[in-house]
Amino acid sequence: MSGALQQTLLVIDTDPAIRRSQADALATAGYRIQLADGEDQARTRLSAHVFAAVIFDAAQFPEAKTFMEAVLARDAGTALICVTSDGTLSGAVAAMRFGCADVLAKPASPARLRRAVKDALSAPIKPAAPAKAAEARQAPDLLGRSAAMRGVISLIDRFAPSTAPVLVTGESGTGKEVCAQALHSRSVRASAPFVALNCAALPKELMESEIFGHVRGAFTGADSERVGAAMAANGGTLFLDEIGEMDISLQAKLLRFLQTGEVKRVGSDAVTRVDVRIVCATNRLLPREIAAGRFREDLYYRLNILSVHMPPLRARGRDIIELASHFRSAACAEEGRTGGGFATDALEALANHRWPGNVRELQNIIRRAVILSETGHLTAGDLFPAGLSEGEALEASPPDLAGAEVIAAPGLPGSPGPLARRLVLAVMRPLAEIEREVIEAVIEVCDGNLRRAAHTLQVSPSTLYRKREAWSSKAPTAETAPAELPRAVSL
């Protein structure tokens, strides 16, 4: 295997001698190797990189099934190989059922391990199991009742029936892949494959093969045929994450594929037609990449037919508390912890933190707090122990308050935060946005009765009607996702 076409493998084992022997055996076959000494380090490695294969011992994982599902959910093309001290037939069968390509008994010979990896990487990509629509609607990143998230969910519902490409934008950790999965699960393609590829995680020399496949002998190391992601996703959805990282030479081939639906594997002249919907995601500003010559303008317009912008967590207001409660319950169940809730200072800390890592950062902080807490009742100290406090985070750089909402904890004693900060969070937004939020909230409290709402606001019903008509007539854009369209109201 040539150095330019090396694939990266993750070797996980608590025994350093076994880790090293497996790494040496695979490195001699031309693979790049990363090591992890257990589940925590493995999850850290997996959060930063997509691996061609993961070699691990299921017996060392308390929740091996959950770990395997998480790896496959991140990228359907990752091969799982279990090299385990559990030599029972039932253990091997369970590992295969949960997604392992092969199960080897310890100690596995270097030749046997290399053959298992080679066979697993030569097999067709196994598409991720499609999520059910009901489950997708409850996905953590799509929880929330803020105006920003109502707008996102409204757009997803409108776009899902279409076959047009969708471009999902937003900062890292905002849930762009969850958005793509929701688009798939709400569409008529829900029963077909959802295949995800991370364009930033693969060398540019391998990317064409990963998308379109290759025939045997197409390049050094191509010892067998491989079905690419485009063919594996036939009838379903192909999700290309971090599309802004794709090499510009491959962008022309992707554009042709979008225009013709034809797949030509590397090393072959044969053409196969496939039917896939393309969903792409990026945290880059593609117009800026176009100006810098790193992204094709024609491809941008082909991908940006429909677009969804995932809002940063700091702009989602009360959703932070709802998400935190969801993640706390999930972490308690996973860690076998009981007890519960958040102290008032914890709610204030959650509200005031800027969340540069967005939903992913929130999830990690909540899980760590659940593990470290001695009482199960989370405090600000559990959330931010001896690190960057919520106050320091706000002072570190000017906060982006656009779209932020006041976060309070109804029914809890004490002030949720300094009055000045609460007022800033409430009013540092366009006046029209504040007006709309107040009007919609009053109408909701009045059960949709426009006359009662108008009486409460001391305006005429016709004024409210005209405003809502104007809001509903504005077309949604990727930069500012609108709130859900007004529902019917009673007069």
Side-chain angles (χ1 to χ4, degrees), residues 116-134:
V117 171
K118 179 180 176 182
D119 291 345
L121 296 182
S122 299
I125 295 174
K126 183 180 180 181
K132 296 178 181 178

Side-chain angles (χ1 to χ4, degrees), residues 241-317:
D241 198 7
E242 302 303 342
I243 189 69
E245 305 288 340
M246 179 177 285
D247 186 75
I248 196 162
S249 62
L250 183 56
Q251 292 175 23
K253 297 181 180 179
L254 177 61
L255 177 62
R256 176 171 174 77
F257 169 62
L258 289 170
Q259 292 171 337
T260 66
E262 295 177 348
V263 173
K264 183 187 293 186
R265 291 193 286 178
V266 178
S268 172
D269 291 328
V271 173
T272 304
R273 290 191 64 84
V274 296
D275 172 27
V276 297
R277 185 186 196 179
I278 301 293
V279 179
C280 297
T282 183
N283 59 7
R284 294 193 175 197
L285 294 175
L286 292 185
R288 184 180 298 171
E289 297 298 300
I290 293 170
R294 292 187 292 264
F295 202 84
R296 293 179 62 104
E297 187 173 17
D298 49 2
L299 178 59
Y300 172 70
Y301 289 120
R302 189 68 179 81
L303 294 175
N304 196 31
I305 296 174
L306 302 175
S307 55
V308 179
H309 181 73
M310 295 300 293
L313 186 57
R314 61 184 174 273
R316 291 180 54 180

Side-chain angles (χ1 to χ4, degrees), residues 127-145:
K132 296 178 181 178
E135 294 173 348
R137 290 178 182 275
Q138 297 174 358
D141 301 66
L142 293 181
L143 287 177
R145 290 168 287 181

Side-chain angles (χ1 to χ4, degrees), residues 25-173:
L26 294 169
T28 59
Y31 298 107
R32 286 193 298 260
I33 309 298
Q34 289 193 28
L35 303 175
D37 59 12
E39 182 173 358
D40 289 343
Q41 194 173 75
R43 288 185 180 274
T44 300
R45 299 273 192 272
L46 287 161
S47 67
H49 194 90
V50 175
F51 296 91
V54 174
I55 298 90
F56 71 111
D57 184 350
Q60 296 176 357
F61 286 71
E63 295 292 338
K65 176 178 179 291
T66 301
F67 173 76
M68 287 186 272
E69 289 175 342
V71 174
L72 294 176
R74 178 165 175 76
D75 193 280
T78 300
L80 292 169
I81 298 170
C82 181
V83 184
T84 181
S85 53
D86 178 7
T88 65
L89 177 61
S90 61
V93 171
M96 297 288 281
R97 187 170 65 247
F98 294 145
C100 278
D102 205 345
V103 179
L104 286 61
K106 280 184 177 177
S109 69
R112 177 72 179 90
L113 180 60
R114 286 193 291 267
R115 187 167 67 252
V117 171
K118 179 180 176 182
D119 291 345
L121 296 182
S122 299
I125 295 174
K126 183 180 180 181
K132 296 178 181 178
E135 294 173 348
R137 290 178 182 275
Q138 297 174 358
D141 301 66
L142 293 181
L143 287 177
R145 290 168 287 181
S146 64
M149 282 310 296
R150 289 201 311 271
V152 166
I153 294 171
S154 175
L155 286 176
I156 289 173
D157 286 335
R158 296 183 203 177
F159 294 168
S162 173
T163 60
V166 179
L167 179 63
V168 186
T169 60
E171 299 174 9
S172 294

